[in-house]
Amino acid sequence: MSFDAANLLPILPEIAILITASLVLILDLYLKDQDKGLNHSITLIGLVIAIGLTGAVGGGDAQVFFDGNLIRDPMSDLLKGAILIVSVLTFIYARPWLQDRGMLVGEFYVLGLLAVLGMLIMVSANGFLTLYLGLELQALALYALVAFDRDSSTGAEAAMKYFVLGALGSGLLLYGVSMIYGATGSIEFAPVAAAVAEQGISNKVLVFGIAFLVIGIGFKFGAVPFHMWVPDVYEGGPTPAVLILSSAPKIAAFALAVRMLVDGLHTLHPDWQGMLVILAVLSMGLGNLVAIAQSNIKRMLAYSTISHVGFIFLGLLAGSEQGFAAAMFYTIVYAVMSVGAFGILLILSRQGFDAERLEDLKGLNDRDAWYAAMMALIMFSMAGVPPTVGFMAKLLVLEAVVRIDMLWLALVAVFFSIIGAFYYLRVIKFIYFDKPADDAPALLTSSGVRFAMSLNGLALLALGLFPAALLSVCQAAF
Amino acid sequence: MENVYLTIVLAPLLGAIAAGFFGARLGRRGAHRATIAGVAVSAVLSLWVLARFIWGEATVFNGPVYTWLVSDGMRFEVGFLVDKLTAVMMATVTFVSLMVHLYTIGYMADDEHNWPHGALSGKNSYQRFFSYISLFTFSMLMLVMSNNFMQLFFGWEAVGLVSYLLIGFWSTRESAVFANLKAFLVNRVGDFGFILGIAAVGMYFGSMDYAEVFAKAPELADEQVAIFGGVSLMTLIGILLFIGAMGKSAQVPLHVWLPDSMEGPTPISALIHAATMVTAGVFMVARMSPLYELSETALSFILIVGASTAFFMGLIGLVQNDIKRVVAYSTLSQLGYMVTALGASAYAAGIFHLMTHAFFKALLFLAAGSVIIAMHHKQDISHMGGLRKYLPITWLTALIGSLALIGFPGFSGFFSKDAIIEAVGHSQLFGAGYATVLLTVGVFVTALYSFRMYFLVFHGRERMDEHTRHHLHESPWVVTVPLVLLAIPSVFIGWFAVEPMLIGDWWTTGDWSPIVVAHEHDTLHHLREHWHGQAAFVEHGMHALPFYLAMAGLALAALLWWVLHAWNPRIDELLQVFGGPVTRILQDKYGFDDFNQRFLAGGSRNLGRMFWITGDRTLIDGGMVNGSARTVGRLALRFRQLQTGYLYHYAIAMIIGLVGLLTIFVTL
């Protein structure tokens, strides 16, 4: 392995994030309490530079480097860009919350950046081992982030559950990787794919391994029945940590699924398709049904995530290029919607008060019509109401499923999304048709947050009206 | 040029948005300035476009502006097709619209008195009215400038919507709400046929684009459709589309909404329900001439419907006493003339009459409006009389409008109407004889009801009460200037336009001809062969039967008026004397309204009530909606309990999942 330009150039975005994380880590030691805002600025600058670098080194055909451990291809360019942009929004939304609670410290940013770094590595991984390393880097950073509010017992409980179940999930995933390695003798995707093609689908060891891999993927996405951690962590963790947890890692999880199942094991599509069908139907069903019974909005969004994961799986299980593009489109759109929804919760929160119950959204329209409109856009988009982009995303995955003659699955999906529309529309009802509580605290008045949220909400509308741009990039990735 | 066309369409839309959404902030003056500016820009540019077509430099524009979506190879686009036909329509629409905008300043000046005190809907009604009429102009332009069926349908529905909004503009009046509902429902019937027609076009041609459809039409001319035991495709499409036109252009039996639409303010009666929107059907059929030429059955159908409308609706005009309703029935009758022309394949004559009619009918309506302003919003002509000396400008312009309407030689209506009667006379289609007789006798009826109204309003004894008489005075300049500006084309436009529009091949630009007439249907060629200039045409018209009939009608109207004036019997009694049963049939409007009210409206209400009780309330609401909601709610609560909060339960769930996947998929 040599550290020359050919190897280093394609991972410049990762390097930039690593440098930023190190810089914040060191600088934080010397910063006085009132200067901690500098961490925030440096983090944002680092992320923006990384976005620029992604664009600069991106484009063109796939390149494999670092002895076949890493890859840069159109998919990684797009996913990296999406992860970084969503992360910028995350940090912008999180800052006022942290500041109000005196928690604007370097650790949050270091952990956040390391998680981002882990995701970027997952996206660029060209072998099972690199992928696993990225996954663990991201996961360890996220465990710590959930426990970030040290005085909160619910936070500690959530982190503990997340950690133990995460360890179990990682263990199962690693076990699956060892099976694949045993059957094919390689941990790089291309040789694995070649070996699988040679052996055909008769090898039971491979199928055995795939079951474990799918469980790992299911755990990272939060698909039923590996979803149990999702509601508890979303509810118990501090909202900024949940904000990070709920958005960009799903994009990384998408990369995890595509790299392993498509790049490595596409030949075994009939096997993993069946598994994903089961997970998708269970996720859409349980997610949408249970979300209705929730009164805690973070918990409701957790179940909503689970149901969205079902839809993403629909695109993946189609196994066609169109299906992958649709799933990718859905994942990115989901990340943008999720970051917006939690962003609104942060905007509603105040020192000593976290907006967590559905009632806290009551009369938002009377308190701030613009934020109310943005939240309404997000909810419409999540429910899949045209002309928002959520509709396009659902339409595309359904189309992919119909194309492979699984009409029944599309009908199931539509059925559950109708049920799901109820709880999204209930939020809108709270916002527009109820009166605000008398003791509702004032809303956040940061112009930066307002600007970011406006971009966030309007992007859902703009992408819905003109979906061709993002869609063509997604299609080009496969 | 694309930008010019976009500007023509969008300028009124911007005006409408400004006055509609920011009306409260702009104030009354700001609102009317914004909308008038928008329409003025459109009008000037449209006239310029028309001028370019007349003096020969313009080329046909046909292209998409925005592709909305492509589905299975069919493109749904916003696009413009601008040829001479479009240019004539654009100029007519925008010019009349501009006049009506100006006029509205005067007519709606005291609109707050038309609302109950403190009514919320009366707030900013002035701005709202301007917003609506500008929105109408936008919609109508979208309709006429369209190059595809989808946009045609958009414009078609949009003008219908604005018409609905404006008929019921005074939404606190029960009669206005009834009228707009009626207009909406009747148009629904027509639009149902229209959209079926468009669907048939889409199904058989695989395209929404006019040019593509027209190019492919000859290939499909002999195509049969297996419904009603086999119909020619062209007949089916033609009749379905024409059913849409019957709704919009108020042809028997879908005409019933138009007289009631007079509940709306007079400016929109002039703009929408006389000059422009109601002629959309005529325009549409002319635009589709390449399709209609392929079906003689459809043409005969049009011919018969049009002629029946022209004659029988004119008769009803004889017994109306509301000044606006007389003009409304006259509009119905004139629309019938245009449609008959289309049926006889004299599309050019139909469009020509559409244009001349737009000017003189808008003029008559606005004059009626001016009379109504002077009479303090009283519309009964039996309480008018002798207004000539109080409203000199209105009187003179109304006289011009009436002469144009009856087709007095030299006036614009003369050229267009004589051309139509001549063309229909030469038609060989089934029903042409019937149509010729009705149209010719119709000239007599037209003259009779026009001048009956004219004499009753402007001459003779002053029958209004003392208070009204005391306040009679000519309307302000914003009212009279449009009258004068409309009177000018009402007199002259026929003289100038007859030669290009009817004689020669003016319509054709390059190798594109908007109006296609099959050789054996060419009913205007006699006119063309015997053409010796306008003067000769007028001269010839003086010796023809229609002229004698018109004069007879005028004379009879004068005689009746003289009888009334000299003897002073009450008008109602007079009518009874002149044939009781006939009058009663006419006053009942042949019973269309009663029939619709009792059987169609009543029947659908009963049917609806039945469905509501058994279908909606019991089955859907009770069983499906609430039932399924209860089930879902119960399931949600049950599943929720799976989430126990215990870590080991969660881990067990994962392991169960693992075992499940392994047992299902790994078969050893």
Side-chain angles (χ1 to χ4, degrees), chain A residues 161 164-165 204 207-208 211-212 215 219 225-226 228 231-232 271 274-275 278 286 289-290 292-293 299 303 419, chain B residues 66 632 635-637 639-640 642-643 645-647 649-651 653-655 657-658 661-662 664-668:
Chain A
K161 283 177 181 164
V164 173
L165 295 175
K204 293 298 165 199
V207 181
F208 198 68
F212 285 89
I215 290 168
F219 178 82
F226 314 105
M228 294 295 212
D232 287 15
D271 284 303
M275 302 183 193
I278 295 177
L286 191 99
L289 279 177
V290 181
I292 290 177
R299 234 178 145 79
Y303 283 104
I419 294 181
Chain B
Y66 171 72
V632 167
L635 275 179
L637 287 174
F639 282 130
R640 191 185 174 188
L642 290 175
Q643 196 78 18
Y646 293 115
L647 189 51
H649 284 171
Y650 297 178
M654 287 177 70
I655 300 300
L658 170 71
L661 285 190
L662 288 179
I664 295 172
F665 291 98
V666 185
T667 45
L668 292 169

Side-chain angles (χ1 to χ4, degrees), chain B residues 417-486:
Chain B
K417 193 178 290 182
D418 258 28
I420 290 176
I421 295 173
E422 173 115 11
V424 174
H426 287 111
S427 174
Q428 304 296 324
L429 292 178
F430 173 77
Y434 167 80
T436 316
V437 172
L438 289 194
L439 290 199
T440 315
V441 182
V443 173
F444 170 76
V445 178
T446 309
L448 185 58
Y449 67 67
S450 303
F451 275 87
R452 166 181 171 263
M453 180 181 89
Y454 167 78
F455 285 124
L456 283 175
V457 172
F458 291 105
H459 294 273
R461 241 170 27 84
E462 298 162 10
R463 297 180 299 274
M464 64 291 288
D465 58 51
E466 203 48 48
H467 173 77
T468 313
R469 190 210 317 268
H470 196 67
H471 288 94
L472 279 177
H473 58 83
E474 182 61 282
S475 303
W477 69 269
V478 284
V479 171
T480 52
V481 165
L483 289 180
V484 174
L485 288 179
L486 283 167

Side-chain angles (χ1 to χ4, degrees), chain A residues 312-388:
Chain A
I312 294 171
F313 280 9
L314 289 188
L316 281 175
L317 66 86
S320 56
E321 287 184 3
Q322 189 202 8
F324 298 141
M328 190 160 170
F329 186 84
Y330 201 112
T331 312
I332 292 172
V333 166
Y334 163 75
V336 177
M337 297 189 296
S338 174
V339 84
F342 280 102
I344 291 281
L345 294 190
L346 286 174
I347 287 166
L348 289 168
S349 300
R350 261 288 158 274
Q351 191 166 5
F353 168 77
D354 274 307
E356 292 198 327
R357 292 169 310 136
L358 277 170
E359 283 76 33
D360 295 333
L361 283 167
K362 270 188 181 172
L364 180 59
N365 186 43
D366 293 341
R367 295 163 67 193
D368 188 319
W370 184 246
Y371 282 143
M374 293 300 114
M375 186 62 170
L377 269 180
I378 293 166
M379 286 297 129
F380 275 130
S381 183
M382 283 196 169
V385 177
T388 55

Side-chain angles (χ1 to χ4, degrees), chain A residues 16-29:
Chain A
I17 297 294
L18 181 61
I19 291 175
T20 315
S22 314
L23 198 62
V24 173
L25 190 61
I26 297 170
L27 198 66
D28 189 52
L29 293 174

Side-chain angles (χ1 to χ4, degrees), chain A residues 14-300:
Chain A
E14 284 89 341
I15 294 176
I17 297 294
L18 181 61
I19 291 175
T20 315
S22 314
L23 198 62
V24 173
L25 190 61
I26 297 170
L27 198 66
D28 189 52
L29 293 174
Y30 302 100
L31 282 178
K32 295 198 196 74
D33 275 355
Q34 66 268 30
D35 298 332
K36 295 280 186 186
L38 196 56
N39 291 326
H40 182 76
S41 316
I42 291 174
T43 304
L44 287 190
I45 292 168
L47 285 169
V48 170
I49 289 174
I51 294 172
L53 288 171
T54 309
V57 303
D61 294 333
Q63 301 162 263
V64 176
F65 49 97
F66 272 117
D67 291 339
N69 283 311
L70 293 172
I71 186 174
R72 192 212 57 70
D73 56 8
M75 184 181 91
S76 76
D77 292 339
L78 176 59
L79 291 183
K80 275 187 203 176
I83 289 172
L84 291 167
I85 289 171
V86 169
S87 302
V88 169
L89 287 174
T90 325
F91 285 112
I92 292 176
Y93 295 151
R95 179 185 168 154
W97 192 93
L98 296 169
Q99 200 153 25
D100 282 348
R101 288 160 183 75
M103 289 161 70
L104 192 69
V105 287
E107 290 90 324
F108 181 83
Y109 290 96
V110 174
L111 289 169
L113 284 168
L114 287 177
V116 172
L117 180 61
M119 296 176 217
L120 297 187
I121 291 174
M122 285 167 78
V123 168
S124 328
N126 193 35
F128 285 103
L129 205 55
T130 330
L131 194 59
Y132 181 75
L133 285 177
L135 178 66
E136 281 305 286
L137 177 56
Q138 177 232 34
L140 287 170
L142 290 177
Y143 301 146
L145 269 177
V146 174
F148 178 68
D149 188 358
R150 274 167 299 188
D151 302 332
S152 154
S153 57
T154 55
E157 185 191 332
M160 186 56 94
K161 283 177 181 164
Y162 188 25
F163 177 68
V164 173
L165 295 175
L168 182 59
S170 295
L172 293 173
L173 181 73
L174 210 49
Y175 187 68
V177 171
S178 74
M179 289 289 155
I180 304 289
Y181 177 65
T184 61
S186 176
I187 49 164
E188 267 177 51
F189 294 132
V192 167
V196 171
E198 205 174 291
Q199 296 174 9
I201 54 172
S202 57
N203 195 334
K204 293 298 165 199
V205 180
L206 279 175
V207 181
F208 198 68
I210 287 178
F212 285 89
L213 294 187
V214 167
I215 290 168
I217 294 167
F219 178 82
K220 287 300 156 196
F221 265 114
V224 180
F226 314 105
H227 68 287
M228 294 295 212
W229 61 276
V230 180
D232 287 15
V233 171
Y234 275 37
E235 186 188 358
T239 312
V242 179
L243 176 67
I244 295 180
L245 187 69
S246 70
S247 47
K250 295 290 184 259
I251 303 179
F254 175 78
L256 176 81
V258 171
R259 291 289 184 217
M260 293 203 300
L261 297 181
V262 181
D263 289 0
L265 302 164
H266 200 180
T267 321
L268 296 171
H269 172 238
D271 284 303
W272 54 260
Q273 180 182 47
M275 302 183 193
L276 289 186
V277 168
I278 295 177
L279 297 194
V281 171
L282 287 177
S283 302
M284 289 186 298
L286 191 99
N288 279 320
L289 279 177
V290 181
I292 290 177
Q294 303 304 322
S295 56
N296 180 306
I297 191 164
K298 281 162 80 180
R299 234 178 145 79
M300 186 200 93

